[in-house]
Amino acid sequence: MTPESDDRAPEPPAANPYARTRADGGFTVVAAAGEIDLATAGFLAEHLDAATATARPDVLVDLRGVAFFDCSGLRVLCRADSRAKERGGRLRVVADDPRLHRLLRASGLWTRFTPLPVIPRAR
């Protein structure tokens, strides 16, 4: 069995100013914060790579603490979403900022990442 097909979650990366990971019920929540751009998207990607490394990952990306989010962040979300789907899981976004909603619509990613307003209750 390869580590990527293992059901056990790897240790999440250390929290940084731009991302932190926590378990919340049956979900892995990756909370992003600050400005996610070309210089900082890698910090978010580290957390999303770890969160999507298990079989059937169920990942919530909480963007409510983000002040700025650009195409570098969208690229990271798309990559993580593809990884989750390849492993039989899913990735969803939690966002309540109208600016982020506009970015998702303008980029054509609204249907892929239709934002949830809050983190859902655990199953």
Side-chain angles (χ1 to χ4, degrees), residues 9-96:
E11 284 296 315
N16 61 60
Y18 307 101
R20 63 188 54 223
T21 300
R22 73 178 190 278
D24 189 338
F27 310 113
T28 300
V29 177
V30 176
E35 296 186 0
I36 305 299
D37 56 20
L38 183 61
T40 61
F43 294 106
L44 177 59
E46 289 176 7
H47 284 261
L48 291 174
D49 285 351
T52 58
T54 63
R56 296 172 304 284
D58 195 356
V59 180
L60 294 170
V61 185
D62 188 353
L63 299 176
R64 294 176 296 174
V66 170
F68 177 82
F69 200 85
D70 72 6
C71 60
S72 300
L74 291 177
R75 180 185 52 79
V76 168
L77 286 181
C78 288
R79 181 175 174 270
D81 181 55
S82 294
R83 284 174 47 98
K85 287 177 180 168
E86 287 170 3
R87 291 168 171 80
R90 64 183 173 172
L91 181 137
R92 293 176 290 163
V93 169
V94 179
D96 56 3

